[in-house]
């Protein structure tokens, strides 16, 4: 792991430290609930992401079993992965944990994988996500490729970022005629961060006036969540938030 990656992980871990769960009984209970409810879990390793479900929690063996992905090629890479990042949500509470080496298994006659049970996990409630205001002078922007009248993508338009968290962003300075409805997916968005560009997929959650009580025709803002943002991307955004907070504190 290079120095930048170490810094990214350190920033993310520091931000999540107060949400850490270390109790084995609590960890087993949370994992068992994920199994019982068949909650969708994303597993990130390298540049790959597999959407899966947990199949079993084996406390005697100290491991969890999860379903294989749909792509044989991706499953082959998963079988050689040594570091796994699990990410899911349970009753609006985000749960994240890491796993070690993936081992190919068969579960009830179907392909599956197993890895060591986590000794710690991060549990974040929605209200715990810190959202940083983005000053106009920061230069933080989001480039979107919007479809033209013929359906083809136009040149990217730059939208101003009003605030940012590890779960989503608020955007304004929308181009004329662009008024997405909640649920719209914005594929191919690119955040222009101080550390470089970060490609993301966004889902629009709401669209309203940028200022409460504004008159008709006033600037609009859209609130978006990140769709399946990988841990690496989360770490880069956390670094951006930390930098914004340091800058804000230096001005006060």
């Amino acid at each position: 792991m290079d120095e930048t990656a170490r810094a990214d992980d350190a920033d993310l871990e520091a931000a999540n430290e107060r949400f850490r769960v270390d109790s084995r009984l609590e960890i087993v209970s949370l994992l068992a609930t994920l199994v019982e409810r068949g909650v969708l879990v994303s597993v990130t390793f390298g540049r790959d992401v597999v959407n899966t479900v947990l199949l079993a929690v084996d406390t005697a063996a100290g491991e969890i079993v999860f379903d294989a992905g749909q792509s044989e090629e991706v499953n082959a890479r998963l079988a050689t992965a040594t570091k796994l990042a699990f990410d899911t949500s349970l009753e609006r509470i985000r749960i994240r944990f890491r796993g070690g080496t993936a081992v190919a298994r068969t579960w009830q006659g179907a392909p599956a994988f197993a890895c060591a049970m986590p000794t710690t996990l991060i549990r974040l409630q929605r209200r715990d996500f810190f959202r940083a205001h983005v000053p106009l002078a920061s230069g933080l922007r989001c480039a979107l490729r919007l479809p033209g009248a013929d359906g083809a993508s136009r040149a990217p338009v730059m939208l101003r970022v009003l605030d940012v968290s590890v779960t989503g962003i608020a955007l304004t300075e929308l181009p004329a005629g662009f008024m997405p409805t909640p649920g719209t997916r914005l594929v191919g968005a690119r955040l222009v961060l101080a550390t470089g560009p970060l490609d993301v997929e966004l889902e629009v959650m709401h669209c309203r006036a940028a200022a409460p009580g504004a008159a008709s025709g006033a600037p609009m803002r859209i609130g978006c969540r990140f769709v399946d943002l990988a841990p690496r991307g989360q770490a880069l955004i956390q670094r951006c938030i930390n930098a914004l907070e340091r800058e804000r504190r230096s001005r006060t």
Side-chain angles (χ1 to χ4, degrees):
M1 183 183 293
D2 60 26
E3 292 301 321
T4 300
R6 288 193 183 95
D8 291 344
D9 283 345
D11 279 343
L12 193 58
E13 292 304 316
N16 291 334
E17 184 64 34
R18 68 191 181 97
F19 307 116
R20 188 179 303 278
V21 176
D22 295 311
S23 165
R24 178 177 172 81
L25 286 176
E26 192 169 359
I27 290 172
V28 169
S29 176
L30 285 170
L31 295 175
T33 301
L34 294 177
V35 172
E36 179 184 353
R37 299 189 184 182
V39 178
L40 188 67
V41 178
S42 65
V43 183
T44 302
F45 52 98
R47 296 180 178 273
D48 292 303
V49 179
V50 168
N51 291 320
T52 182
V53 292
L54 300 188
L55 300 172
V57 180
D58 189 337
T59 55
E63 65 181 22
I64 56 175
V65 182
F66 56 97
D67 198 12
Q70 297 183 348
S71 167
E72 292 185 5
E73 182 179 348
V74 174
N75 285 336
R77 291 196 291 270
L78 176 56
T80 63
T82 57
K83 293 183 179 180
L84 311 177
F86 293 78
D87 196 331
T88 187
S89 293
L90 179 65
E91 296 178 349
R92 297 178 66 82
I93 296 176
R94 188 175 183 185
I95 298 173
R96 301 177 59 210
F97 58 90
R98 299 184 186 278
T101 302
V103 179
R105 293 285 175 82
T106 298
W107 179 261
Q108 297 182 351
F113 288 91
C115 71
M117 185 183 304
T119 57
T120 185
L121 57 78
I122 303 297
R123 183 177 55 190
L124 289 164
Q125 294 191 35
R126 184 176 180 84
R127 64 177 180 269
D128 293 323
F129 293 121
F130 178 74
R131 186 171 293 273
H133 171 71
V134 180
L136 180 61
S138 72
L140 181 57
R141 295 290 186 271
C142 180
L144 291 181
R145 286 189 175 274
L146 306 179
D150 58 356
S153 292
R154 301 184 300 189
V157 295
M158 301 297 290
L159 277 60
R160 179 189 166 196
V161 179
L162 288 173
D163 57 52
V164 59
S165 76
V166 293
T167 60
I169 55 176
L171 303 171
T172 191
E173 298 183 1
L174 311 182
F178 178 60
M179 195 66 64
T181 56
T184 300
R185 291 288 181 98
L186 305 176
V187 181
R190 170 168 289 189
L191 287 179
V192 182
L193 306 173
T195 53
L198 174 64
D199 292 329
V200 297
E201 181 177 347
L202 303 172
E203 180 180 356
V204 177
M205 305 304 292
H206 60 78
C207 183
R208 59 174 180 254
S216 176
M220 302 296 292
R221 64 177 282 166
I222 55 174
C224 304
R225 75 173 184 92
F226 295 118
V227 178
D228 297 330
L229 184 63
R232 170 76 172 175
Q234 295 171 25
L236 288 174
I237 289 175
Q238 186 62 56
R239 292 186 71 186
C240 172
I241 292 171
N242 292 347
L244 289 169
E245 277 300 286
R246 285 194 297 268
E247 182 181 348
R248 183 187 65 81
R249 289 169 185 167
S250 70
R251 299 193 303 267
T252 58

CSV table of all heavy atoms in Angstrom, one decimal, residues 182-212:
chain,number,residue,atom,x,y,z
A,182,PRO,N,-36.7,13.0,-8.0
A,182,PRO,CA,-36.1,12.0,-7.1
A,182,PRO,C,-36.1,10.6,-7.7
A,182,PRO,O,-37.0,10.2,-8.3
A,182,PRO,CB,-37.0,12.1,-5.8
A,182,PRO,CG,-37.5,13.5,-5.9
A,182,PRO,CD,-37.7,13.8,-7.3
A,183,GLY,N,-34.9,10.0,-7.5
A,183,GLY,CA,-34.8,8.6,-8.0
A,183,GLY,C,-34.0,8.6,-9.3
A,183,GLY,O,-33.5,7.6,-9.8
A,184,THR,N,-33.8,9.8,-9.9
A,184,THR,CA,-33.0,9.9,-11.2
A,184,THR,C,-31.5,9.5,-10.9
A,184,THR,O,-30.9,10.0,-9.9
A,184,THR,CB,-33.0,11.3,-11.8
A,184,THR,OG1,-34.4,11.6,-12.0
A,184,THR,CG2,-32.2,11.4,-13.0
A,185,ARG,N,-30.9,8.7,-11.7
A,185,ARG,CA,-29.5,8.3,-11.6
A,185,ARG,C,-28.7,9.2,-12.5
A,185,ARG,O,-29.0,9.3,-13.7
A,185,ARG,CB,-29.3,6.8,-11.9
A,185,ARG,CG,-29.9,5.8,-10.9
A,185,ARG,CD,-29.1,5.8,-9.6
A,185,ARG,NE,-29.6,4.8,-8.7
A,185,ARG,CZ,-29.1,3.6,-8.5
A,185,ARG,NH1,-28.1,3.2,-9.2
A,185,ARG,NH2,-29.7,2.8,-7.6
A,186,LEU,N,-27.6,9.8,-11.9
A,186,LEU,CA,-26.7,10.6,-12.7
A,186,LEU,C,-25.4,9.8,-12.8
A,186,LEU,O,-24.6,9.8,-11.9
A,186,LEU,CB,-26.5,11.9,-12.0
A,186,LEU,CG,-27.7,12.8,-11.7
A,186,LEU,CD1,-27.4,14.0,-10.9
A,186,LEU,CD2,-28.5,13.1,-13.0
A,187,VAL,N,-25.3,9.1,-13.9
A,187,VAL,CA,-24.2,8.2,-14.2
A,187,VAL,C,-23.0,9.0,-14.8
A,187,VAL,O,-23.3,9.9,-15.7
A,187,VAL,CB,-24.6,7.0,-15.1
A,187,VAL,CG1,-23.4,6.1,-15.3
A,187,VAL,CG2,-25.7,6.3,-14.5
A,188,GLY,N,-21.8,8.7,-14.5
A,188,GLY,CA,-20.7,9.4,-15.1
A,188,GLY,C,-20.4,10.7,-14.5
A,188,GLY,O,-19.7,11.6,-15.2
A,189,ALA,N,-20.8,11.0,-13.3
A,189,ALA,CA,-20.5,12.3,-12.6
A,189,ALA,C,-19.1,12.3,-12.2
A,189,ALA,O,-18.5,11.2,-11.9
A,189,ALA,CB,-21.4,12.5,-11.4
A,190,ARG,N,-18.4,13.4,-12.2
A,190,ARG,CA,-17.0,13.5,-11.7
A,190,ARG,C,-16.9,14.7,-10.8
A,190,ARG,O,-17.2,15.8,-11.1
A,190,ARG,CB,-16.1,13.7,-12.9
A,190,ARG,CG,-14.7,14.0,-12.6
A,190,ARG,CD,-13.8,13.9,-13.8
A,190,ARG,NE,-13.6,12.5,-14.2
A,190,ARG,CZ,-12.7,12.1,-15.1
A,190,ARG,NH1,-11.9,13.0,-15.7
A,190,ARG,NH2,-12.5,10.9,-15.4
A,191,LEU,N,-16.4,14.3,-9.5
A,191,LEU,CA,-16.1,15.4,-8.6
A,191,LEU,C,-14.7,15.8,-8.8
A,191,LEU,O,-13.8,15.0,-9.0
A,191,LEU,CB,-16.2,14.8,-7.1
A,191,LEU,CG,-17.6,14.5,-6.6
A,191,LEU,CD1,-17.5,13.9,-5.2
A,191,LEU,CD2,-18.4,15.8,-6.6
A,192,VAL,N,-14.5,17.2,-8.8
A,192,VAL,CA,-13.2,17.8,-9.0
A,192,VAL,C,-12.7,18.1,-7.6
A,192,VAL,O,-13.0,19.2,-7.1
A,192,VAL,CB,-13.3,19.0,-9.9
A,192,VAL,CG1,-11.9,19.6,-10.1
A,192,VAL,CG2,-13.9,18.6,-11.2
A,193,LEU,N,-11.9,17.2,-7.0
A,193,LEU,CA,-11.3,17.4,-5.7
A,193,LEU,C,-9.9,18.0,-5.8
A,193,LEU,O,-9.3,18.0,-6.8
A,193,LEU,CB,-11.3,16.1,-4.9
A,193,LEU,CG,-12.6,15.3,-4.8
A,193,LEU,CD1,-12.3,13.9,-4.2
A,193,LEU,CD2,-13.6,16.1,-4.1
A,194,ALA,N,-9.5,18.5,-4.6
A,194,ALA,CA,-8.1,19.1,-4.6
A,194,ALA,C,-7.1,18.0,-4.9
A,194,ALA,O,-6.0,18.2,-5.4
A,194,ALA,CB,-7.8,19.7,-3.2
A,195,THR,N,-7.4,16.7,-4.5
A,195,THR,CA,-6.5,15.6,-4.7
A,195,THR,C,-6.6,15.0,-6.1
A,195,THR,O,-5.9,14.0,-6.4
A,195,THR,CB,-6.8,14.5,-3.6
A,195,THR,OG1,-8.2,14.2,-3.7
A,195,THR,CG2,-6.4,15.0,-2.3
A,196,GLY,N,-7.6,15.5,-6.9
A,196,GLY,CA,-7.7,15.0,-8.3
A,196,GLY,C,-9.2,14.6,-8.5
A,196,GLY,O,-10.0,14.7,-7.6
A,197,PRO,N,-9.5,14.2,-9.7
A,197,PRO,CA,-10.9,13.8,-10.0
A,197,PRO,C,-11.4,12.5,-9.4
A,197,PRO,O,-10.5,11.6,-9.2
A,197,PRO,CB,-10.9,13.7,-11.5
A,197,PRO,CG,-9.5,13.3,-11.9
A,197,PRO,CD,-8.6,14.0,-10.9
A,198,LEU,N,-12.6,12.4,-9.1
A,198,LEU,CA,-13.2,11.2,-8.5
A,198,LEU,C,-14.5,10.9,-9.3
A,198,LEU,O,-15.5,11.7,-9.2
A,198,LEU,CB,-13.5,11.3,-7.0
A,198,LEU,CG,-14.2,10.2,-6.3
A,198,LEU,CD1,-13.4,8.9,-6.4
A,198,LEU,CD2,-14.6,10.5,-4.9
A,199,ASP,N,-14.6,9.8,-10.0
A,199,ASP,CA,-15.8,9.5,-10.7
A,199,ASP,C,-16.8,8.8,-9.8
A,199,ASP,O,-16.4,7.8,-9.1
A,199,ASP,CB,-15.4,8.5,-11.9
A,199,ASP,CG,-14.6,9.2,-13.0
A,199,ASP,OD1,-14.8,10.4,-13.2
A,199,ASP,OD2,-13.8,8.6,-13.6
A,200,VAL,N,-18.0,9.2,-9.9
A,200,VAL,CA,-19.1,8.7,-9.0
A,200,VAL,C,-20.4,8.5,-9.7
A,200,VAL,O,-20.5,9.1,-10.8
A,200,VAL,CB,-19.3,9.6,-7.8
A,200,VAL,CG1,-18.1,9.8,-6.9
A,200,VAL,CG2,-19.7,11.0,-8.2
A,201,GLU,N,-21.3,7.8,-9.2
A,201,GLU,CA,-22.6,7.7,-9.6
A,201,GLU,C,-23.5,8.3,-8.6
A,201,GLU,O,-23.4,8.0,-7.4
A,201,GLU,CB,-23.1,6.3,-9.9
A,201,GLU,CG,-24.5,6.1,-10.5
A,201,GLU,CD,-24.9,4.7,-10.8
A,201,GLU,OE1,-24.0,3.9,-10.9
A,201,GLU,OE2,-26.1,4.5,-11.0
A,202,LEU,N,-24.5,9.1,-9.0
A,202,LEU,CA,-25.3,9.8,-8.0
A,202,LEU,C,-26.8,9.4,-8.2
A,202,LEU,O,-27.2,9.1,-9.3
A,202,LEU,CB,-25.2,11.3,-8.2
A,202,LEU,CG,-23.8,11.9,-8.0
A,202,LEU,CD1,-23.8,13.4,-8.4
A,202,LEU,CD2,-23.3,11.8,-6.6
A,203,GLU,N,-27.5,9.5,-7.1
A,203,GLU,CA,-29.0,9.3,-7.2
A,203,GLU,C,-29.6,10.5,-6.6
A,203,GLU,O,-29.3,10.9,-5.4
A,203,GLU,CB,-29.5,8.0,-6.5
A,203,GLU,CG,-31.0,7.9,-6.6
A,203,GLU,CD,-31.5,6.6,-5.9
A,203,GLU,OE1,-30.7,5.8,-5.4
A,203,GLU,OE2,-32.7,6.4,-5.8
A,204,VAL,N,-30.5,11.2,-7.3
A,204,VAL,CA,-31.2,12.4,-6.8
A,204,VAL,C,-32.2,12.0,-5.7
A,204,VAL,O,-33.0,11.2,-6.0
A,204,VAL,CB,-31.9,13.1,-8.0
A,204,VAL,CG1,-32.6,14.4,-7.4
A,204,VAL,CG2,-30.9,13.6,-9.0
A,205,MET,N,-32.1,12.7,-4.6
A,205,MET,CA,-33.0,12.4,-3.5
A,205,MET,C,-34.0,13.5,-3.3
A,205,MET,O,-35.2,13.2,-2.9
A,205,MET,CB,-32.2,12.3,-2.2
A,205,MET,CG,-31.1,11.3,-2.2
A,205,MET,SD,-31.6,9.6,-2.7
A,205,MET,CE,-32.6,9.2,-1.2
A,206,HIS,N,-33.7,14.8,-3.7
A,206,HIS,CA,-34.7,15.8,-3.6
A,206,HIS,C,-34.2,17.0,-4.5
A,206,HIS,O,-33.0,17.1,-4.9
A,206,HIS,CB,-34.9,16.3,-2.2
A,206,HIS,CG,-33.7,16.9,-1.5
A,206,HIS,ND1,-33.2,18.1,-1.8
A,206,HIS,CD2,-32.8,16.3,-0.6
A,206,HIS,CE1,-32.1,18.3,-1.0
A,206,HIS,NE2,-31.8,17.2,-0.3
A,207,CYS,N,-35.1,17.9,-4.9
A,207,CYS,CA,-34.8,19.0,-5.7
A,207,CYS,C,-35.7,20.2,-5.2
A,207,CYS,O,-36.9,20.1,-5.1
A,207,CYS,CB,-35.1,18.8,-7.2
A,207,CYS,SG,-34.7,20.1,-8.3
A,208,ARG,N,-35.0,21.3,-4.7
A,208,ARG,CA,-35.8,22.4,-4.1
A,208,ARG,C,-35.0,23.7,-4.3
A,208,ARG,O,-33.8,23.7,-4.7
A,208,ARG,CB,-36.1,22.1,-2.7
A,208,ARG,CG,-34.9,21.9,-1.8
A,208,ARG,CD,-35.3,21.8,-0.3
A,208,ARG,NE,-34.2,21.6,0.6
A,208,ARG,CZ,-33.9,20.4,1.1
A,208,ARG,NH1,-34.6,19.4,0.9
A,208,ARG,NH2,-32.8,20.3,2.0
A,209,ALA,N,-35.6,24.8,-3.9
A,209,ALA,CA,-34.9,26.1,-3.9
A,209,ALA,C,-33.7,26.1,-3.1
A,209,ALA,O,-33.7,25.5,-2.0
A,209,ALA,CB,-35.9,27.2,-3.5
A,210,ALA,N,-32.6,26.7,-3.6
A,210,ALA,CA,-31.3,26.7,-2.9
A,210,ALA,C,-31.5,27.5,-1.5
A,210,ALA,O,-30.7,27.2,-0.6
A,210,ALA,CB,-30.2,27.3,-3.7
A,211,ALA,N,-32.3,28.4,-1.5
A,211,ALA,CA,-32.6,29.2,-0.2
A,211,ALA,C,-34.0,29.0,0.2
A,211,ALA,O,-34.9,29.2,-0.6
A,211,ALA,CB,-32.3,30.7,-0.5
A,212,PRO,N,-34.2,28.6,1.5
A,212,PRO,CA,-35.6,28.5,2.0
A,212,PRO,C,-36.4,29.7,1.8
A,212,PRO,O,-36.0,30.8,2.0
A,212,PRO,CB,-35.4,28.2,3.5
A,212,PRO,CG,-34.0,27.6,3.6
A,212,PRO,CD,-33.2,28.4,2.5
